[in-house]
Amino acid sequence: MAKGYTQIFGLDYGDTFSPVAKMASVRLFIAMTALQRWPLYQLDVKNAFLNGNLQEEIYMEQPPGFVAQGESSGLVCRLRKSLYGLKQSPQAWFGKFSSVVKEFGMTHCEADH
């Protein structure tokens, strides 16, 4: 896990993001599903934040216990994908997710961001 608590606002990241649906939208969706007798499925992506592409250059120390063979322990890694713990991870994941669902023809709801 990245040490996101060491990131500084304005220097390492610009804003934070939390993709949360409004409860009224969730209730409406469940009610419509029940009325129409549609099947309802839930998807839990356990490694969702690992799929987001980072816009910024972020470097991280090697994790404890991991040292590349033949290298010293003081090396850093440049991250290309987001990791859990980074302030940018939720926004990077949501950007990737929304671009994929738009490819399937879905549109953005103006009432619930």
Side-chain angles (χ1 to χ4, degrees), residues 8 29 48 69 71 75 96:
I8 300 168
F29 181 73
Q69 194 171 17
E71 301 289 337
L75 296 177
K96 177 82 168 218

Side-chain angles (χ1 to χ4, degrees), residues 89-109:
S89 293
Q91 190 167 20
W93 171 81
F94 188 75
K96 177 82 168 218
F97 174 76
S98 60
S99 68
V100 169
V101 295
K102 284 179 184 176
E103 288 176 13
F104 286 105
M106 296 185 180
T107 58
H108 178 80
C109 174

Side-chain angles (χ1 to χ4, degrees), residues 6-68:
T6 62
Q7 292 182 297
I8 300 168
F9 178 77
L11 181 63
D12 298 316
Y13 66 97
D15 57 353
T16 57
F17 180 77
S18 180
V20 178
K22 292 179 182 175
M23 191 51 74
S25 297
V26 173
R27 283 194 303 265
L28 176 66
F29 181 73
I30 292 172
M32 288 177 59
T33 303
L35 285 172
Q36 297 295 326
R37 298 179 192 263
W38 292 333
L40 179 64
Y41 301 99
Q42 177 185 349
L43 175 65
D44 184 16
V45 182
K46 297 205 182 290
N47 58 359
F49 285 175
L50 304 179
N51 294 306
N53 298 321
L54 293 171
Q55 303 299 318
E56 305 88 358
E57 270 192 28
I58 298 178
Y59 295 91
M60 179 179 128
E61 293 177 356
Q62 293 184 58
F66 176 83
V67 177

